[in-house]
Amino acid sequence: MSGALYIFNPENDLSVANGGENYMPPPRARIIAEDLAFLPVWYAENGDDVIVPSERYIDWMYSERASLGCFSEVVLKGRLPDKNWTACIPWGWSPEIARRFLRMGVSDRLLPGNVLLKEQKRLYHRNQTLEILKGLRDYGIGDIPDLLPEELYTTESVCRYIQSAPLTVLKAPWSGSGKGLSWGRGVYDTTLERWSRGILRRQGSIMGEPFYEKVQDFAMEFHSDGVSSVVFAGYSLFDTNKKGVYTGNILTGDADILSCLSIYVATERIESVKIALQELLSVKVAPYYKGYFGIDMMIYKENGKYRLNPCIELNLRMNMGVVSRIFYDRYTAPGSKGIYVVDYNPDSAALYADHLTRTKDNPLIIHDGKIIKGYLSLSPLTPESHYRARVEIY
């Protein structure tokens, strides 16, 4: 029996926001989609196929992959084989990617219909953060911030919200991975007014959230069966830059991540949130979405005490936290630790030179099908590449 068909479409948040079947993402989004097209090879199952845009991906680094027991295949987007795939698995679903699969000749029986796509867009909205926090509070979870996010519908309400506190965070409803954010500093200046008017015109509202004195980002990753059940899939410990944009993950086991978090909050509190979310999301998400997704969380400091915010954002799609979790569990020797990083360099030659240097200075060491230490780029690197997903095991 044929396996599933994967594609990496990281522009999906933008596609969902646009809503059109013929949406064309901006150039930078198209570049990352091409440079990292190989990424699903690492989280697909053996026997699955991954769509890539050009010949340079075929058999790339096959010896290393084979040594790690990774036997998913790559297929060219313009020449898909005649196979009876069991499922289509993009990075995320939108009308645009569903239409793209159809144009490539994939059967519509493997695609979500318009009703499901509309429900998924509803769940993509950042107001779901508010709904999940309320649901957890009703469930009896005590780790709910005193001030909840607010959905703002007018420039006047945005202005009042910004002026209500020295620091606030404003978020476009449909965006993700640290994008679509703006910071309020107590003054509704011209830049914020222009930004908020544009978001309100295009998306209808803005989510206003309190500013938290962040100590540590992390996430709980889940998998939905698309019917009635959501199950926990692992923890993700990650970093973001000053603008809130994802930069990379710590590669280690779930037990180590829990141990790290327990420095700030009791493990029992985190576990109780996990159990509550599985039940809540089995009702809220499972009937409308099948696949991996994540809930971003945060440890923050308030009045000298460490607190847990159990829902910063719902990411209703595959995400880098899941990729790093699967990669570590499948391909890394037990007890080893490292980092998973997504790099961008406007100077492609410099990125390629860095790749050669890391390959030489930290060569890959594999024993019994697991990485003991070393550097590995998870996608083909050429002198023209601008993006790279890499792991380094120490």
Side-chain angles (χ1 to χ4, degrees), residues 126 129 133 171 209 212 217 295-298 309-314:
R126 276 186 160 129
T129 298
L133 288 171
K171 299 182 177 181
E209 298 185 6
Y212 300 104
D217 287 306
I295 301 283
D296 288 349
M297 304 182 181
M298 180 192 294
N309 186 330
C311 184
I312 297 294
E313 190 164 287
L314 164 66

Side-chain angles (χ1 to χ4, degrees), residues 249-267:
N249 271 80
I250 305 300
L251 289 176
T252 189
D254 279 344
D256 283 341
I257 292 177
L258 269 178
S259 178
C260 175
L261 298 175
S262 69
I263 296 172
Y264 309 108
V265 297
T267 299

Side-chain angles (χ1 to χ4, degrees), residues 12-23:
N12 195 66
D13 293 339
L14 299 173
S15 296
V16 170
N18 178 272
E21 290 185 345
N22 299 308
Y23 171 71

Side-chain angles (χ1 to χ4, degrees), residues 274-289:
K274 179 180 74 175
I275 294 169
L277 281 172
Q278 285 182 117
E279 295 192 17
L280 178 65
L281 299 171
S282 290
V283 175
K284 188 176 187 60
V285 171
Y288 311 109
Y289 174 80

Side-chain angles (χ1 to χ4, degrees), residues 1-134:
M1 179 180 289
S2 297
L5 180 64
Y6 285 73
I7 192 169
F8 180 61
N9 59 315
E11 74 285 352
N12 195 66
D13 293 339
L14 299 173
S15 296
V16 170
N18 178 272
E21 290 185 345
N22 299 308
Y23 171 71
M24 176 64 73
R28 187 161 170 173
R30 297 199 299 272
I31 292 171
I32 187 174
E34 177 163 345
D35 283 351
L36 302 187
F38 199 83
L39 199 58
V41 164
W42 299 104
Y43 57 84
E45 301 292 338
N46 289 341
D48 291 341
D49 292 321
V50 176
I51 298 173
V52 296
S54 67
E55 297 275 359
R56 71 182 171 101
Y57 295 84
I58 296 178
D59 295 331
W60 181 80
M61 207 192 65
Y62 188 79
S63 61
E64 287 89 343
R65 289 197 291 126
S67 298
L68 294 168
C70 178
F71 295 106
S72 47
E73 300 293 340
V74 296
V75 294
L76 292 176
K77 65 177 182 180
R79 300 202 300 269
L80 293 188
D82 184 14
K83 297 178 71 171
N84 185 28
W85 286 291
T86 57
C88 286
I89 306 180
W91 188 256
W93 282 109
S94 69
E96 185 279 327
I97 193 62
R99 179 64 177 169
R100 202 190 319 174
F101 273 125
L102 283 176
R103 288 199 297 266
M104 289 187 287
V106 173
S107 171
D108 60 1
R109 67 179 177 81
L110 299 179
L111 310 177
N114 290 333
V115 172
L116 278 183
L117 288 172
K118 287 179 180 178
E119 290 293 341
Q120 289 177 18
K121 182 170 184 176
R122 174 182 63 82
L123 291 169
Y124 252 93
H125 196 294
R126 276 186 160 129
N127 61 15
Q128 295 304 302
T129 298
L130 175 59
E131 297 303 313
I132 291 170
L133 288 171
K134 287 180 177 178

Side-chain angles (χ1 to χ4, degrees), residues 182-319:
S182 193
W183 276 260
R185 293 177 172 81
V187 178
Y188 191 51
D189 58 23
T190 303
T191 300
L192 273 175
E193 181 180 6
R194 187 183 302 115
W195 179 86
S196 60
R197 285 185 183 278
I199 298 298
L200 290 171
R201 183 179 67 253
R202 295 190 298 273
Q203 299 192 18
S205 67
I206 289 172
M207 296 304 299
E209 298 185 6
F211 175 84
Y212 300 104
E213 188 181 341
K214 182 174 66 177
V215 176
Q216 179 62 61
D217 287 306
F218 75 104
M220 290 185 190
E221 310 296 352
F222 297 92
H223 188 274
S224 169
D225 68 357
V227 181
S228 61
S229 178
V230 164
V231 296
F232 178 70
Y235 291 102
S236 165
L237 194 65
F238 64 95
D239 293 317
T240 58
N241 63 21
K242 292 181 179 180
K243 294 182 178 180
V245 177
Y246 168 86
T247 55
N249 271 80
I250 305 300
L251 289 176
T252 189
D254 279 344
D256 283 341
I257 292 177
L258 269 178
S259 178
C260 175
L261 298 175
S262 69
I263 296 172
Y264 309 108
V265 297
T267 299
E268 293 76 12
R269 287 162 58 189
I270 298 173
E271 290 286 345
S272 66
V273 168
K274 179 180 74 175
I275 294 169
L277 281 172
Q278 285 182 117
E279 295 192 17
L280 178 65
L281 299 171
S282 290
V283 175
K284 188 176 187 60
V285 171
Y288 311 109
Y289 174 80
K290 182 177 182 178
Y292 287 103
F293 67 99
I295 301 283
D296 288 349
M297 304 182 181
M298 180 192 294
I299 306 293
Y300 65 102
K301 201 170 185 179
E302 184 179 72
N303 298 324
K305 295 183 178 180
Y306 295 112
R307 298 194 62 182
L308 166 67
N309 186 330
C311 184
I312 297 294
E313 190 164 287
L314 164 66
N315 293 309
L316 197 73
R317 51 169 168 72
M318 189 65 173
N319 60 75

